Amino acid sequence: MQSNTTRIDPPTTQKPEDEHRIIIRGGKPLYGQVKVGGAKNAVLKMMAAALLSKETTVLRNVPNLTDVHMMAQVLRHLGAKVEVSNGEVSIDASGVNDWEAPYELVSHLRASFVVLGPLLSRFREAKVSLPGGCAIGERKIDLHERGLKILGADVRIDHGYVSASAKQLVGSRVYLDRPSNGATENIMLAAVCAEGTTIIENAAQDPEIVNLAQCVNEMGGNITGAGTYQITIEGVPFDKMHGAVVDTIPDRVEVGTFMLAVMATTGEVIIEGSNAHHLYSVISKMQEMGAEVSMYAPDVIRVKCESNRFKATDITTLPYPGFPTDLQAPFMPVMCTAEGTSIVEETIYENRFMHAAELRRMGADIVIKGNAAVIKGVDHLMGAEVKASDLRAGAALIIAGLGAEGVTEVTGLHHLDRGYDRLEDKLRSLGAEIYRK
Ligand code: EPU
């Protein structure tokens, strides 16, 4: 750990990924403009959807993330030609001749489980490793399984794999017990080349689902209602599907991360390439606490904060358009120094409070009671050595470090790099004192 008076130098040597750390000297206000990238949780699913044609699909505004490279590996394993460069991914799925996604790939990237739907739609057969649990919760797949069975697939779970096959895949009405993103995506993609009409009731309404449906429609599919609780998919024969060029929507979690970084440090930042409509639940909480957040232009958000001490508030994570679980951890540092007591209720995952113990090491007063965190505001956080347990916990610790007194060192960066493209470089361009070593 560096002393709080030591100068922070930029990195000079290459180290194995696990030894890397981000070093932050807190307390620098943020000023300037920053551009966010495309949404991880949209692009990964659109890459899987590219399996639904024998032609080439090009995705634009793609962030440079390890998850994107890992998904490219999964598609290559299946026989696709995939190129990732300059913010674009090009997927030529003409040579796809395998419908099995193995454990060694899927275990690195649970999002790759979504190849199940398109493989089943195209080949009427698919075998994909079960992704397993993760640091934030059990992450079941029972709704995926039930939905595919309703479409006529025989779905079996054997030796850690889900095998699905169907002589006939026939459109039907599928009600989801909860609006799961993954289940909505897998069922929607399986239904693209099924016979007849599929209706998904209580579907996830997230903007990333809308982007995925746009992608499929550009490829010749016929999906309506994405973005509402009821999605209708009219089956189209596979040989009518074709390639497409599709733009990825902005990453709303990255936008939220920058907004919260300004709240933690003070300053004024213009966030370009964002979509405020996707973030009402978050922006309204920030405004309630006292931050100045406004829409500058249709795709530009401005955040201005003269102080980094706000009024306490409560949040409950909910399916979209409720408060997103992916911004729960990044939101917590500003609650740690708010005036009064804030309560966070996490309803999506069973175990998404691992960052609380790390924030306590920085001086936060947080008590976890079941699925709630009770946070009593303290005057300030203090720099410390902390470790990210998952992607959004990593973002939370960086936000906390930016606002804290002294130096914070964050490890566990492989989690962060799954979902943020050069986060520390973008923050440094806004005036933060932050380096990776
Ligand atoms: N669930 C079930 N049964 C199912 C499916 C889900 O019980 O069959 C439960 C899960 O166990 C979980 C909850 O429902 O507790 C939500 O799961 P969902 O299927 O909605 O999530 P997901 O598709 O696995 C995506 C994002 C997550 C994000 C959630 C919720 C991707 C790659 N991941 O996961 O993103 O938290 O939706 O919005 O799209 C992240 O980016 O950091 C991240 C974790």
Side-chain angles (χ1 to χ4, degrees), residues 45 139-140 142-143 178 180-182 326 348-349 392:
K45 320 306 168 53
R139 305 189 76 174
K140 292 187 287 185
D142 54 313
L143 301 174
R178 58 191 292 169
S180 149
N181 282 280
D326 293 343
I348 307 294
Y349 294 111
R392 307 306 172 188

